[in-house]
Amino acid sequence: MADMVAGNFFGPQNNTYIRVSLPAVCFVWQIAMVILFGVFIRYDEESDEKGWHEFKRSHNITSNIENDFYFRYPSFQDVHVMIFVGFGFLMTFLKRYSFGGVGFNFLIAAFGLQWALLMQGWFHSLDPVTGKITIGIESLINADFCCAGSLIAYGALLGKVSPVQLMIVTLFGVTLFAVEEYIILDLLHCRDAGGSMVIHTFGGYYGLAISWVLYRPNLNLSKRLNGSVYHSDLFAMIGALFLWMFWPSFNSAITNHGAGQHRTVINTYLSLAACVLTTFAISSMGQKKGKLDMVHIQNASLAAGVAMGTSAEFMITPYGSIIVGFCCGIISTFGYLYVTPFLEKRLKLQDTCGIHNLHAVPGMLGGFVGAIVAAAATEEVYGKEGLVETFGLSGKFENRSMSTQGAYQAAGTCVAIAFGLVGGVCVGFILRFPLWGDPADDFCFDDEAYWELPEDEETIPPVLEYNNHMINKHQDTHESQFSLEES
Amino acid sequence: MADMVAGNFFGPQNNTYIRVSLPAVCFVWQIAMVILFGVFIRYDEESDEKGWHEFKRSHNITSNIENDFYFRYPSFQDVHVMIFVGFGFLMTFLKRYSFGGVGFNFLIAAFGLQWALLMQGWFHSLDPVTGKITIGIESLINADFCCAGSLIAYGALLGKVSPVQLMIVTLFGVTLFAVEEYIILDLLHCRDAGGSMVIHTFGGYYGLAISWVLYRPNLNLSKRLNGSVYHSDLFAMIGALFLWMFWPSFNSAITNHGAGQHRTVINTYLSLAACVLTTFAISSMGQKKGKLDMVHIQNASLAAGVAMGTSAEFMITPYGSIIVGFCCGIISTFGYLYVTPFLEKRLKLQDTCGIHNLHAVPGMLGGFVGAIVAAAATEEVYGKEGLVETFGLSGKFENRSMSTQGAYQAAGTCVAIAFGLVGGVCVGFILRFPLWGDPADDFCFDDEAYWELPEDEETIPPVLEYNNHMINKHQDTHESQFSLEES
Amino acid sequence: MADMVAGNFFGPQNNTYIRVSLPAVCFVWQIAMVILFGVFIRYDEESDEKGWHEFKRSHNITSNIENDFYFRYPSFQDVHVMIFVGFGFLMTFLKRYSFGGVGFNFLIAAFGLQWALLMQGWFHSLDPVTGKITIGIESLINADFCCAGSLIAYGALLGKVSPVQLMIVTLFGVTLFAVEEYIILDLLHCRDAGGSMVIHTFGGYYGLAISWVLYRPNLNLSKRLNGSVYHSDLFAMIGALFLWMFWPSFNSAITNHGAGQHRTVINTYLSLAACVLTTFAISSMGQKKGKLDMVHIQNASLAAGVAMGTSAEFMITPYGSIIVGFCCGIISTFGYLYVTPFLEKRLKLQDTCGIHNLHAVPGMLGGFVGAIVAAAATEEVYGKEGLVETFGLSGKFENRSMSTQGAYQAAGTCVAIAFGLVGGVCVGFILRFPLWGDPADDFCFDDEAYWELPEDEETIPPVLEYNNHMINKHQDTHESQFSLEES
C-alpha cells in the first residue's frame, strides 16, 4: 500500500534523471573550454615570466610590488569567497535544498568563470594583431563578477530547476552579461566598478524574467519544503555575513589604484552598516508581535552593498553613503514583507530567494544614484586630474560634461534592465523544452531529486539503544547491513 | 488545558514585545548618525580624490602602493571577519539562542562602528581648524576594535537581555571606550596596538559589571536551554577558528608599517599555537573521565591572542610569546573549570560565555606583560630609531625612560579595569528600568522571544509519510494550508 | 538489563582514557618547544626592529612596503584558513565525529607548526655562525605547509585513532617532512612551491601506510557511524569550499615575487574550475540513478589544486592548467567510486576520507606533470632571466639543462613516495603499542570516546511540553536538576 502510494507520488520523479544530460553538458562544454583557451587565452604582461621582466624595463619599474597582483589580490580572494561561500551558503536556507543551493552554485560558478574569461576577453581585451586574449588578476575578478549575474538569477529559480537548466542559464547569462557590459562600459562609457547596473540589475531582472516564464501554478504541492529549519538558517547566515563583510572588497576590487580603492571601501562599509539598522527596524515593525525575521536579516541587510556598486568609487561623501544604506534597508525589507507575496499572487512570479528585493530594485536604485552623483561631480571636489581619472574622461570622452555623464549612467541602467528582461524571457522559453530534467511540482525544493542523501539525522541511534535493538531483533530495514554475527 | 498552562508560562513573554522600542531606537540613532556624519566626517587625504593627488605631490610619492590602504586592507578585512563571523558565531553555541547570538552581534556591531567613528574621531582626529574628522582605513579598523569592547560585554549577557538593552550597552560602551582609550593612549601615552587593555580588559570588566547588576536569582528556570547541542557547538567552532586564525591580523592591524606588523604577526601566531596545547591538556585533566570539553577548546585557546595584544609589537622574542601562550591556556581553562562556577555561586555573577576567563583576566595579564616587556626594552635590542618608533617616544615624550614607560603601561591597565567596572555598574542600573523588553527568568536563552522561528527540524516529513498522512486525513494543524484538492 | 548490556558494550571504551597521556604529551612537548625556541629561534632581518632599519639602509630600500610581509601576508592568512578551517571542517562530515575532526585537527596543527619551525629551520636556515634560526612570514607559511602533510595523513586515520596517537603521527610526520623536503628541494634542487610532491604525495602515502599497518578487520562494528548526516555534509562543505577558494593562495604563497605569484594564481584558479565540471559529470555517471554524491563534490573537486602544486608556477599555459584539472576531476572521482572500496577489500587499507584519491594520486601526478613542464621549458618562453629565476638555476646549478631538471623533478616525486611509505609503516608499528588510548573496533567514529557531548538535539523540549511534563511529574532523569519548587 505504502509502495503504491509512493509509486504514484514518485512517478514524476523519473524526469529528474540527469545521468546522461548532466555529464554530457559538462564534458562537451569543458572540452570546448580547453580548445578555446588553447586558441585564445594567454598570460598578460604582468603574469608572463618574460613579459613582466620586459614590462619592468620598459616602464622603469624597480620593484615587484608594483605588479597589479599586489593591488588586487586581497580583494580578489574576498570576491572569490563571496561567489562560492557567500552566494552558495546564502542559498542553503531551505530545509531540504541546502545541497542543491551550495552545490549547484559551485558547479555553475566554476563553469561560468571560464566562459566569462572568454566572452569578456573577446569584447574587452582581444589583441587585434595576435588574435589573443591576455589575462591577469583583474580578468579573474571580472570573471567572478560575470558569474555573479547568473548566480543572482539562480536565486529566483532555487529549488525549481535542474542542474542542466542552470548550466544553460549560465551559458546565456554570461554571454548576455558580456554584451550588455560592453554596451554600458565601453559604448556608453559608464562607470560601474561594483556592478550595480551590469551585475545586479541585469542579474536580478534576468532571473525574474526566467522565473516568470517558468511559472508553476501548482508549486504549493511542494510547500512543505519551501521554508527553513533552525540550522539551515544558520548556514544561510554564514553566506550572508561573508557577503556583507566582503562587499567593500567587491565594490573596490577593480576601482582605480590608491584613493579610488580606499574611498570605495569606506563608502561601502558605512552604507552597509546603516542598512543593518533600518533592516532590523522594519523587520520588527512588519510583524504583529514585533519579532525579527531571519529572511530579512540575511538578505535586506545586503541591499546597501548592491546599491553602492556604482557610486561607491565617487565622492559620494560618508553621510551620502549612510543615507543610501538607510533607504535600502527600508526598501528591501518592505519588498520582502509585501512585494514578493504580491508578485507571486498577482504577477505569477515565483522568486525563491527574493532577488527582486536584494538585487533588482537596489541595483536599479544604485544605477540612478550613481547617475546623480556623477552628474553632481565637480572639479572643485575631485581636482582636475581626479575627475579625469575617476570617470575615465580621456581620449574621445575628454569633452564629455558631467551632466552628460550622468545621463549616460542613467541610460546604462535602462540597458541593463532591458537586457535582463528580454534575455530572461528568451532563456525561459528555451528552458521550457521538456528534456532538461526539472522536477515535478510536488518534488521541488527537494535534494532527493539530484543528490544521494544520507539517512536522516533522527536515525542516529545511541550505541546503547542501538545494541538493545539488535538483541531484541527489532531490526530496522535501514540497518540491516549490520549483522549480529559480527558483534 | 495545554493552553491554560501555556498561558501561565507564556505570560511573562509579553514583556519581550519590542515592536515599538527596537525600531524607535534604530531609527532615532541612525538618523542621528546621518546628521552627525554630515556635520563632522570627511575623507582623509589618502582616500579623498583630490587630497591623494596633492598628498603624493607634497610627499614626493610616485606609486599608489604607498597609500596606507595597501598596508592595512588585508588586516582590516580579517578584523572585520573576526567582529562579525568570529564573535557572532562564537556566540551561537547555545541550543536555542543561535539566532540571537549571531543576529544581535550583527546589529550592535553595525551600530557601534558608526558611533565609534564619531567618538574616536572627536577624541583623536578632530581638526581644530575645520572642525572635521577625517577618516581612512585605519579609522575603520579602530571603529571595529571599538565595537569589540561592547561585543565582549555581550558575551556575559548573552540570552538574558533584549536587543534594545544591547543597543544601550553599545552606545555607552563605545562612548566609555573612546574616553578610556584617549586617557590610556594619548594622556598616559601607552602602546596597545592589539588592545589587551583598551579592548579586552575594558570590555571584559564592563560586561561583568553589567551582568553583576542584572543578576537573576531564578535563572535556573531557563536552565534547560542554557547549553549546547552537537551542531550548535560546531557553529561556535566556526567563530572560534576564525578568531584564532585571524588574531595575528587583529594585533598587527594598526602597528607600525614594516617590521612592526611583521613581528606582531609572528608573536601572536606562536603564542596562540602554544595556548592550544595547554588548553587541551587542562581540559582533559579537569574531567574525571579525561574527556575534552568543547567550551574550553572554543574559548581558552583564544586567550593567548588577548594576552599578546599589548606586547606582540614589542621585541618579546619568539620564546617569550610561547611562554605567554603556555600560561594563558592553563589560566583560562582553569577559569572555565573553577572560576566561572565560583563567580556564579559566590559573587552572584552570571557570565554566559565566560568572558572573565577569555577577556578580562587574559587582557589584564596582557597589560602587565606589556608593561614588563616595555620596561625591559633597550636601545641595544631595538636600535635607537627602533625604540623611538616602537614606543612613539618623540615630541614631549622624548625623554621618557623605558622603566617610566613600563609604569605608565601598568597604570593604563588599571585605568581600563576602573572604566570597565564603574561604567558597567552605571550602565547596569540604567538597564534595570523595566521598559527595555528583557525576557523573564524562564524565557532566557530562547530565540522564541525575539525571532520568528521556523518549525522544528523533526517535523520535516518525508514525502511518502506526508502524503499517506494526507490520504488518511490526519491533518496536522501545522500543515493545514496544504489542501487535498491540489494533489 | 540495559546497564548490563551497556557494560558489555562500553567495556572496551575504557582504553580510550587519555586523562594522563594526553596532558603529559602536551605539556612535555610544549615545554620542549619553549626551551628549543629559546635556544634557537630569533626574528629575521625583516621582522627584527633593529634589523629592518639596517636592512633598509644596506639594501637602499626607501619604503616599508618592500618588506616581504606585504608580498606574502594575504596568502599566509589564506593558507592559515585552509589548514584550520579547510582541513578541519572537511573532516566534520561524519555524523558523530565532527568534534574529533575539527578539534584534533586544531590540536595537531597547533603543535605541528611549532615543531615545523624548528625542523625546517635546522635544515634550511640555521646560521652556522650564530647557531640561530631566523624566522619571518615565509617561515610561518612553510610551517603551515609542513603541518598539512600530517593533517592529510589524519584524513586516512579519522575516527580510528586517539589524539595521543595523532600527536605521534605529527611529531614523526613533521620530522620526516623536513628531511624529505631537504632532499627534494635542496639536494635534488627541485621546484615545488605548492607541494605536490613534498606535501601531498608524502602526506598521502604516509597516511595510507599508517592506516595499512593499523588495519582493523572488525571495523564494520562501527559501520553505523561511518557516514554522514545532512547537516554534517554541509559543515564539510564549508571546509571544502575554503580549501577550493584559497588553493590559488596555497600554491602561490612562496613562489617568486611579481609574475611568479601572479601566474601561479591564474593557473590554479583555472585548473580548479575545470576540475569541478568533470567531478560533477563522473559523480552523476557513477550512480545508477544519476544522482550526485557529496563525497565527490567535497573532495574530488579539490584534486586539481593538489596536482597543480608543482607546475602552477611554471609557464604551463592557461589551457594546460585546464587540461590538468579536467583529468584530475575524472581520476579522483573514479578513485572514490572504485579504488577506495577496492583498497579496503583487497589491500586491507581503510582510508576514511579517501586521501588516496585526493592527495596521494593527484600529488604524484602533479609531481610528474611538473617534471614534464620543467623539461619542456625554454628560454624563448621564459626569457633568460626568467628561466634562471623560475627554476633557481644559479650558483652550482647554473649549468643544469632543463631536461635534467625534469628528471630531477621526477626523482623528487619518487623520493616523496618512498619517504611516505617507509616512514608511514614505521610510525604505524609504533602506534600499535597498546598504550595510546585508541578506541575499540565498535567504538570508532564516535566523539563519545574523547569528548564531553551535549545531550541530543531531539531532546530539546519546547517550553510548553516541557512544563506539562513537569506538572505530570514524569520527570526525565536528564532534567532532574530542574525542580518544581522553582517555578
Side-chain angles (χ1 to χ4, degrees), chain B residues 9 66 220 224 228 230 245 249 258 261-263 267 269 285 287 291-292 315 317 380 385 457, chain C residues 19 43 47-50 57 63 67 70 73 77 98 137 144 231 447-448 450 452 454 463 486:
Chain B
F9 271 90
E66 298 279 337
N220 54 3
R224 80 195 183 288
S228 63
Y230 197 70
M245 295 181 304
S249 293
Q261 287 192 287
H262 200 153
R263 186 172 58 249
N267 290 333
Y269 171 93
M285 283 170 69
Q287 216 263 352
K291 293 188 184 182
L292 297 160
M315 294 285 289
T317 72
E380 200 193 327
E385 57 195 315
E457 219 142 321
Chain C
R19 198 184 177 190
Y43 303 118
S47 56
D48 186 89
E49 191 60 35
K50 196 175 176 184
R57 264 193 298 276
S63 168
N67 194 304
Y70 301 102
Y73 189 62
Q77 276 295 8
S98 304
I137 190 71
D144 273 20
H231 281 166
D447 275 331
E448 191 66 43
Y450 304 111
E452 288 277 291
V463 69
E486 293 164 0

Side-chain angles (χ1 to χ4, degrees), chain C residues 440-474:
Chain C
D441 288 348
D442 63 345
F443 204 42
C444 288
F445 312 119
D446 197 343
D447 275 331
E448 191 66 43
Y450 304 111
W451 298 87
E452 288 277 291
L453 292 186
E455 354 159 9
D456 262 13
E457 217 142 321
E458 291 104 287
T459 65
I460 312 173
V463 69
L464 178 64
E465 283 178 30
Y466 182 73
N467 290 312
N468 274 334
H469 224 65
M470 301 300 301
I471 284 158
N472 297 328
K473 311 235 177 192
H474 287 141

Side-chain angles (χ1 to χ4, degrees), chain A residues 376-423:
Chain A
T378 61
E379 208 176 293
E380 202 192 325
V381 172
Y382 289 75
K384 194 178 171 57
E385 56 194 318
L387 205 59
V388 171
E389 258 187 39
T390 305
F391 294 95
L393 299 179
S394 53
K396 62 178 178 175
F397 302 102
E398 205 175 345
N399 298 315
R400 188 186 271 190
S401 75
M402 290 322 299
S403 52
T404 316
Q405 178 69 27
Y408 275 104
Q409 298 273 147
T413 311
C414 301
V415 171
I417 297 171
F419 258 82
L421 289 177
V422 176

Side-chain angles (χ1 to χ4, degrees), chain C residues 21-36:
Chain C
S21 54
L22 182 65
V25 168
C26 287
F27 274 119
V28 169
W29 292 3
Q30 192 55 55
I31 289 168
M33 290 301 112
V34 171
I35 297 167
L36 291 170

Side-chain angles (χ1 to χ4, degrees), chain C residues 260-276:
Chain C
Q261 287 192 286
H262 200 153
R263 187 173 56 249
T264 311
V265 163
I266 296 172
N267 290 333
T268 312
Y269 170 94
L270 291 174
S271 187
L272 284 162
C275 188
V276 172

Side-chain angles (χ1 to χ4, degrees), chain B residues 118-194:
Chain B
L118 285 162
M119 283 301 302
Q120 293 185 317
W122 284 321
F123 276 104
H124 291 282
S125 54
L126 190 68
D127 186 310
V129 182
T130 62
K132 304 294 181 198
I133 298 161
T134 58
I135 60 171
I137 190 73
E138 199 173 328
S139 322
L140 305 192
I141 298 170
N142 274 313
D144 273 19
F145 279 0
C146 189
C147 292
S150 300
L151 299 180
I152 291 165
Y154 180 30
L157 309 172
L158 186 70
K160 300 177 294 180
V161 291
S162 76
V164 181
Q165 287 179 311
L166 287 173
M167 295 292 276
I168 294 165
V169 167
T170 308
L171 181 75
F172 287 104
V174 167
T175 310
L176 289 163
F177 184 101
V179 178
E180 56 113 30
E181 189 192 38
Y182 177 71
I183 295 172
I184 295 172
L185 301 192
D186 290 41
L187 300 188
L188 302 182
H189 198 71
C190 299
R191 298 290 294 183
D192 193 21

